[in-house]
Amino acid sequence: MDNSFHYQLMLVHALFRARVMEHLADAGLSPGQPKILDYLRRHDGSMQKEIAYACQIEPATMTGLLRRMEEKGLLTRQIRPENRRTCYISLTARGREKCKRVEQTFLALEESVFTGISAQERTQFQNTLTKICANMTDIRGLQ
Amino acid sequence: MDNSFHYQLMLVHALFRARVMEHLADAGLSPGQPKILDYLRRHDGSMQKEIAYACQIEPATMTGLLRRMEEKGLLTRQIRPENRRTCYISLTARGREKCKRVEQTFLALEESVFTGISAQERTQFQNTLTKICANMTDIRGLQ
DNA sequence: TATTAATAATTAGCATGCTAACAGTTTGCA
DNA sequence: TGCAAACTGTTAGCATGCTAATTATTAATA
């Protein structure tokens, strides 16, 4: 068993993603969609590039992702006359319904993930994770 | 800023992956290859399905990944007469060279990631992460 | 022994991720 | 004003991820 950070990060990410999709099996969502819905639940009406930055996904990847979600009736893409470059993304009623499912899924899985871990240990873990997030955003071409 | 586990997990994974590829920019490796090399460094001669399980990648995904790595001369895929279903994967000399680069990259990035985090806090973090890995492997279709 | 079941890898088809190159729009400045 | 630069999103082409179905081999069992 390898306890290195990079290996465990890869593992937890793959396992969590799989658990999310199991939990959402009957929701008719593909793997890239829950995170977008989760972001829009908190930031409805965002610009396309804001979602891309917040989720660390390339703008080119967002195009297809949002196109499929628009085709499914989960959201709308809107261009306003003030700035015809920018695309604003809003949830539809159907999209907001799916958001609830996604939120429940994330809440349920987060509880499962921390099973057998005390509140104090969990808080400490999440604090360190927040520091790591900040460190990762800073690192640029070390050495 | 969202401090939920699933959001930070997504973020750290995306950022770490990007940093790995920046660090390996001149190594001629594509994004899926470092983790395979890292596993083979520790488990040379594994069966194909062992790598898939250890890295939590579907066997069907491994096929193409290993084919491209074999074409690049990083490894060999060998079938033995004892069991003609099984495929054994071994690093070539060229593959072992790349492994060194990959190991250096992971070591350097892990240090950067824990910048400003004490040894005690880091140990605690990695212990909790190990517990989380175990929890995630256990969870199967909760609710 | 012959048939069935289980195992290991592959293929096909799709979604999602990337980079590089491009198009359209807006901004800034000569 | 007009041209260059910056900005936003898209397209094309590829790698990587999935599931479902298939092939080939081996094991199990009637």
Side-chain angles (χ1 to χ4, degrees):
Chain A
M1 179 60 181
D2 183 349
N3 290 317
S4 64
F5 173 72
H6 73 89
Y7 182 71
Q8 294 193 327
L9 176 61
M10 172 186 77
L11 226 55
V12 170
H13 183 261
L15 289 166
F16 195 83
R17 176 189 159 114
R19 297 298 163 267
V20 168
M21 293 316 290
E22 282 169 19
H23 204 270
L24 288 171
D26 63 336
L29 297 174
S30 52
Q33 297 176 356
K35 59 174 164 293
I36 307 298
L37 291 175
D38 181 62
Y39 184 79
L40 287 173
R41 181 176 61 76
R42 290 174 287 115
H43 304 279
D44 201 8
S46 290
M47 294 165 57
Q48 188 163 325
K49 68 160 198 160
E50 287 170 344
I51 308 174
Y53 179 75
C55 296
Q56 287 292 309
I57 291 171
E58 288 299 315
T61 304
M62 290 300 303
T63 297
L65 202 42
L66 295 178
R67 181 178 46 72
R68 279 182 292 273
M69 292 177 80
E70 186 180 32
E71 283 164 8
K72 264 198 211 175
L74 298 173
L75 49 81
T76 59
R77 289 189 294 175
Q78 183 188 357
I79 291 170
R80 296 184 195 145
E82 309 94 82
N83 189 337
R84 296 174 39 74
R85 286 177 300 191
T86 304
C87 205
Y88 294 92
I89 312 296
S90 302
L91 287 167
T92 60
R94 185 175 157 74
R96 276 189 294 276
E97 279 305 308
K98 294 290 182 191
C99 274
K100 290 181 195 165
R101 268 300 301 275
V102 170
E103 191 180 8
Q104 285 163 12
T105 296
F106 282 143
L107 287 173
L109 285 176
E110 294 206 11
E111 290 315 307
S112 309
V113 157
F114 287 103
T115 298
I117 294 171
S118 73
Q120 190 270 325
E121 183 176 350
R122 176 172 174 172
T123 302
Q124 178 57 55
F125 178 83
Q126 305 224 51
N127 285 342
T128 309
L129 191 54
T130 301
K131 288 186 203 172
I132 289 173
C133 276
N135 281 347
M136 304 239 43
T137 312
D138 294 343
I139 308 169
R140 290 280 165 193
L142 74 168
Q143 324 215 36
Chain B
M1 178 61 179
D2 182 350
N3 290 317
S4 64
F5 173 72
H6 73 90
Y7 182 73
Q8 293 192 328
L9 176 61
M10 172 186 78
L11 226 54
V12 170
H13 183 262
L15 289 165
F16 194 84
R17 176 190 161 114
R19 297 299 162 269
V20 167
M21 293 316 290
E22 282 169 18
H23 203 270
L24 288 171
D26 63 336
L29 297 174
S30 52
Q33 297 176 355
K35 59 174 162 293
I36 306 297
L37 292 174
D38 181 60
Y39 184 79
L40 287 172
R41 180 176 62 75
R42 291 175 286 116
H43 304 278
D44 201 6
S46 291
M47 293 164 56
Q48 187 163 323
K49 67 159 198 162
E50 287 170 346
I51 308 174
Y53 179 75
C55 295
Q56 287 291 308
I57 291 171
E58 288 299 314
T61 304
M62 290 300 302
T63 298
L65 202 42
L66 294 178
R67 180 178 47 72
R68 279 182 293 273
M69 293 178 79
E70 186 179 34
E71 284 165 7
K72 264 197 211 176
L74 298 173
L75 50 81
T76 59
R77 288 190 295 175
Q78 184 189 356
I79 290 170
R80 296 184 196 145
E82 311 94 82
N83 189 338
R84 294 173 41 74
R85 284 178 300 192
T86 305
C87 204
Y88 294 92
I89 312 296
S90 302
L91 288 167
T92 60
R94 186 174 156 73
R96 277 188 294 276
E97 278 307 306
K98 294 291 181 190
C99 275
K100 290 180 195 165
R101 267 301 299 277
V102 170
E103 190 180 8
Q104 285 163 14
T105 296
F106 283 143
L107 286 173
L109 285 177
E110 295 206 9
E111 289 317 307
S112 310
V113 158
F114 288 103
T115 298
I117 294 172
S118 73
Q120 190 270 325
E121 183 176 349
R122 177 172 174 172
T123 302
Q124 178 57 56
F125 179 83
Q126 305 225 50
N127 285 342
T128 308
L129 191 52
T130 301
K131 288 186 204 173
I132 289 173
C133 277
N135 281 346
M136 304 237 45
T137 311
D138 293 343
I139 308 169
R140 290 280 166 194
L142 74 166
Q143 327 212 30

